Amino acid sequence: HITDGQGRKVDFKNTVVIMTSNIGAEYIGIGGTSFGTPPSKERLLKFIDKFNEMARIYVEDYGFKALTYHNHVKEFRKIEGRTIMEWLIEGLEKRYTGFVLDSLWAHLGGENVCELIDAMGERVVCVHLKDLDPAHVYNLENGRKLGTMPKLIEVGEGNMKFKSIIKTAEKYGCR
Protein backbone atom coordinates (compact mmCIF):
# COMPACT_ATOMS: atom_id res chain seq x y z
CA HIS A 1 0.00 0.00 0.00
CA ILE A 2 0.97 3.66 -0.41
CA THR A 3 0.94 6.17 2.45
CA ASP A 4 0.74 9.94 2.50
CA GLY A 5 3.18 12.26 4.30
CA GLN A 6 1.48 11.56 7.64
CA GLY A 7 1.66 7.78 7.32
CA ARG A 8 -2.02 7.24 6.43
CA LYS A 9 -2.95 4.69 3.76
CA VAL A 10 -3.88 6.43 0.53
CA ASP A 11 -7.22 5.39 -0.94
CA PHE A 12 -7.41 5.80 -4.72
CA LYS A 13 -11.03 4.76 -5.17
CA ASN A 14 -12.12 8.31 -6.13
CA THR A 15 -9.10 9.25 -8.21
CA VAL A 16 -10.92 9.09 -11.53
CA VAL A 17 -13.85 11.08 -10.18
CA ILE A 18 -11.59 13.80 -8.86
CA MET A 19 -9.47 13.97 -12.01
CA THR A 20 -12.53 13.88 -14.26
CA SER A 21 -14.38 16.60 -12.39
CA ASN A 22 -11.26 18.77 -12.25
CA ILE A 23 -11.03 18.87 -16.05
CA GLY A 24 -14.65 19.98 -16.37
CA ALA A 25 -16.34 16.77 -17.53
CA GLU A 26 -20.12 16.85 -17.24
CA TYR A 27 -20.62 13.09 -17.47
CA ILE A 28 -18.84 10.04 -16.14
CA GLY A 29 -19.59 6.50 -17.19
CA ILE A 30 -18.73 2.86 -17.52
CA GLY A 31 -18.18 0.75 -20.61
CA GLY A 32 -20.52 -2.08 -19.76
CA THR A 33 -20.43 -5.00 -17.36
CA SER A 34 -21.07 -8.74 -17.30
CA PHE A 35 -24.51 -10.05 -16.54
CA GLY A 36 -23.30 -13.65 -16.41
CA THR A 37 -23.14 -16.43 -18.97
CA PRO A 38 -25.92 -16.93 -19.66
CA PRO A 39 -27.12 -13.56 -18.39
CA SER A 40 -29.23 -13.78 -15.26
CA LYS A 41 -32.09 -11.57 -14.12
CA GLU A 42 -30.71 -11.62 -10.58
CA ARG A 43 -27.32 -10.23 -11.66
CA LEU A 44 -28.98 -7.67 -13.91
CA LEU A 45 -31.29 -6.35 -11.18
CA LYS A 46 -28.42 -6.23 -8.69
CA PHE A 47 -26.39 -4.23 -11.23
CA ILE A 48 -29.28 -1.82 -11.84
CA ASP A 49 -29.63 -1.18 -8.10
CA LYS A 50 -25.89 -0.58 -7.64
CA PHE A 51 -25.66 1.61 -10.76
CA ASN A 52 -28.55 3.76 -9.53
CA GLU A 53 -26.90 4.07 -6.11
CA MET A 54 -23.58 5.15 -7.66
CA ALA A 55 -25.31 7.49 -10.11
CA ARG A 56 -27.00 9.36 -7.25
CA ILE A 57 -23.59 9.81 -5.59
CA TYR A 58 -21.89 11.06 -8.76
CA VAL A 59 -24.69 13.53 -9.49
CA GLU A 60 -25.49 14.75 -5.98
CA ASP A 61 -22.02 14.64 -4.38
CA TYR A 62 -19.71 15.32 -7.32
CA GLY A 63 -21.88 17.51 -9.55
CA PHE A 64 -21.93 15.38 -12.70
CA LYS A 65 -25.03 15.53 -14.90
CA ALA A 66 -25.28 11.74 -15.09
CA LEU A 67 -23.52 8.42 -14.76
CA THR A 68 -23.63 6.90 -18.24
CA TYR A 69 -23.75 3.35 -19.51
CA HIS A 70 -21.97 2.45 -22.77
CA ASN A 71 -23.44 -0.63 -24.42
CA HIS A 72 -21.90 -3.47 -26.37
CA VAL A 73 -23.64 -6.32 -28.17
CA LYS A 74 -24.32 -8.34 -25.00
CA GLU A 75 -27.00 -5.86 -23.89
CA PHE A 76 -29.19 -7.14 -26.72
CA ARG A 77 -29.45 -10.66 -25.36
CA LYS A 78 -32.80 -11.43 -23.81
CA ILE A 79 -33.88 -12.19 -20.27
CA GLU A 80 -37.53 -13.15 -19.85
CA GLY A 81 -38.39 -11.93 -23.36
CA ARG A 82 -36.82 -8.47 -23.03
CA THR A 83 -33.36 -7.32 -24.04
CA ILE A 84 -30.95 -6.36 -21.30
CA MET A 85 -30.96 -2.86 -22.82
CA GLU A 86 -34.74 -2.66 -22.36
CA TRP A 87 -34.26 -3.60 -18.69
CA LEU A 88 -31.59 -0.89 -18.35
CA ILE A 89 -33.68 1.80 -20.04
CA GLU A 90 -36.58 1.02 -17.72
CA GLY A 91 -34.62 0.34 -14.53
CA LEU A 92 -31.94 3.03 -14.46
CA GLU A 93 -33.12 6.22 -12.78
CA LYS A 94 -33.76 8.90 -15.40
CA ARG A 95 -32.73 11.75 -13.09
CA TYR A 96 -29.22 10.36 -12.55
CA THR A 97 -28.33 8.19 -15.54
CA GLY A 98 -27.70 8.45 -19.24
CA PHE A 99 -26.48 6.37 -22.15
CA VAL A 100 -23.52 6.45 -24.48
CA LEU A 101 -25.11 4.51 -27.30
CA ASP A 102 -22.71 2.47 -29.37
CA SER A 103 -24.58 2.43 -32.66
CA LEU A 104 -22.55 -0.40 -34.18
CA TRP A 105 -23.07 -2.81 -31.29
CA ALA A 106 -26.78 -1.97 -31.20
CA HIS A 107 -27.00 -2.67 -34.93
CA LEU A 108 -25.14 -5.97 -34.52
CA GLY A 109 -27.54 -6.82 -31.70
CA GLY A 110 -30.40 -6.61 -34.18
CA GLU A 111 -31.72 -3.22 -33.12
CA ASN A 112 -33.00 -0.35 -35.21
CA VAL A 113 -30.63 2.31 -33.87
CA CYS A 114 -33.04 5.20 -34.44
CA GLU A 115 -35.84 3.42 -32.57
CA LEU A 116 -33.43 2.71 -29.72
CA ILE A 117 -32.48 6.39 -29.54
CA ASP A 118 -36.21 7.23 -29.44
CA ALA A 119 -36.64 4.80 -26.53
CA MET A 120 -33.76 6.46 -24.62
CA GLY A 121 -34.83 9.99 -25.50
CA GLU A 122 -32.90 12.78 -23.79
CA ARG A 123 -30.90 10.22 -21.82
CA VAL A 124 -28.68 9.64 -24.88
CA VAL A 125 -25.77 11.96 -24.09
CA CYS A 126 -23.50 10.63 -26.82
CA VAL A 127 -23.78 8.33 -29.82
CA HIS A 128 -20.64 6.35 -30.55
CA LEU A 129 -20.42 6.11 -34.33
CA LYS A 130 -18.55 3.27 -36.03
CA ASP A 131 -19.07 1.76 -39.44
CA LEU A 132 -19.24 -1.85 -40.47
CA ASP A 133 -17.90 -3.62 -43.52
CA PRO A 134 -21.00 -4.53 -45.57
CA ALA A 135 -19.50 -8.01 -46.09
CA HIS A 136 -19.56 -8.75 -42.33
CA VAL A 137 -21.10 -12.15 -41.64
CA TYR A 138 -23.53 -12.29 -38.74
CA ASN A 139 -23.93 -15.13 -36.27
CA LEU A 140 -27.53 -15.76 -35.35
CA GLU A 141 -28.63 -16.39 -31.78
CA ASN A 142 -32.33 -16.74 -31.02
CA GLY A 143 -33.20 -15.05 -34.32
CA ARG A 144 -31.21 -11.92 -33.48
CA LYS A 145 -27.95 -10.81 -35.02
CA LEU A 146 -25.05 -11.17 -32.64
CA GLY A 147 -21.74 -10.42 -34.25
CA THR A 148 -18.33 -11.84 -34.07
CA MET A 149 -15.78 -9.06 -33.89
CA PRO A 150 -16.86 -6.82 -36.75
CA LYS A 151 -14.56 -5.50 -39.40
CA LEU A 152 -14.64 -1.76 -38.83
CA ILE A 153 -14.11 0.60 -41.73
CA GLU A 154 -14.03 4.35 -42.27
CA VAL A 155 -17.25 6.03 -41.14
CA GLY A 156 -19.55 6.51 -44.12
CA GLU A 157 -18.10 3.64 -46.13
CA GLY A 158 -20.16 0.83 -44.61
CA ASN A 159 -23.76 -0.09 -43.94
CA MET A 160 -24.66 2.15 -40.98
CA LYS A 161 -27.34 4.79 -41.66
CA PHE A 162 -25.57 7.75 -40.07
CA LYS A 163 -27.74 10.56 -41.46
CA SER A 164 -30.87 9.17 -39.81
CA ILE A 165 -28.97 8.18 -36.63
CA ILE A 166 -27.53 11.68 -36.22
CA LYS A 167 -30.85 13.35 -37.04
CA THR A 168 -32.64 11.22 -34.44
CA ALA A 169 -29.97 11.87 -31.80
CA GLU A 170 -30.04 15.63 -32.43
CA LYS A 171 -33.80 15.60 -31.87
CA TYR A 172 -33.02 14.84 -28.20
CA GLY A 173 -30.21 17.37 -27.85
CA CYS A 174 -27.41 14.85 -28.25
CA ARG A 175 -24.17 16.50 -29.26
Side-chain angles (χ1 to χ4, degrees):
H1 68 271
I2 298 174
T3 57
D4 66 11
Q6 297 178 358
R8 297 176 295 204
K9 284 185 183 179
V10 178
D11 179 356
F12 287 99
K13 69 181 179 183
N14 292 322
T15 303
V16 173
V17 173
I18 293 165
M19 290 175 58
T20 304
S21 62
N22 284 347
I23 61 171
E26 296 176 320
Y27 300 93
I28 189 165
I30 67 165
T33 190
S34 173
F35 302 103
T37 305
S40 78
K41 181 178 177 182
E42 180 182 348
R43 282 185 75 164
L44 172 60
L45 295 177
K46 189 175 187 178
F47 171 79
I48 288 171
D49 286 343
K50 186 65 172 175
F51 195 88
N52 283 332
E53 176 186 336
M54 296 308 299
R56 279 190 297 278
I57 291 168
Y58 286 123
V59 171
E60 291 177 357
D61 296 348
Y62 293 99
F64 289 100
K65 289 186 177 181
L67 176 61
T68 63
Y69 186 89
H70 179 275
N71 67 281
H72 292 87
V73 75
K74 67 182 174 283
E75 286 81 7
F76 302 100
R77 291 192 167 99
K78 289 190 174 187
I79 297 176
E80 295 185 2
R82 295 173 36 200
T83 66
I84 291 171
M85 185 58 79
E86 289 172 311
W87 286 89
L88 294 173
I89 291 169
E90 181 180 307
L92 297 179
E93 292 184 31
K94 292 178 182 178
R95 178 176 171 199
Y96 301 112
T97 66
F99 293 95
V100 174
L101 176 62
D102 191 310
S103 60
L104 178 79
W105 288 121
H107 173 75
L108 286 174
E111 297 296 314
N112 175 310
V113 177
C114 293
E115 289 177 6
L116 189 56
I117 293 169
D118 283 331
M120 293 175 175
E122 293 179 353
R123 294 169 69 195
V124 177
V125 299
C126 178
V127 177
H128 188 176
L129 300 175
K130 295 184 243 178
D131 217 343
L132 179 67
D133 185 335
H136 178 76
V137 177
Y138 296 98
N139 291 327
L140 294 178
E141 180 178 297
N142 299 328
R144 299 178 67 78
K145 295 180 275 188
L146 290 175
T148 57
M149 281 306 289
K151 180 179 177 190
L152 302 178
I153 59 176
E154 185 175 333
V155 170
E157 299 296 318
N159 62 4
M160 297 295 292
K161 296 176 175 32
F162 290 119
K163 285 184 181 180
S164 59
I165 291 170
I166 292 168
K167 183 177 179 180
T168 305
E170 286 176 337
K171 176 169 70 173
Y172 297 102
C174 185
R175 302 180 269 166

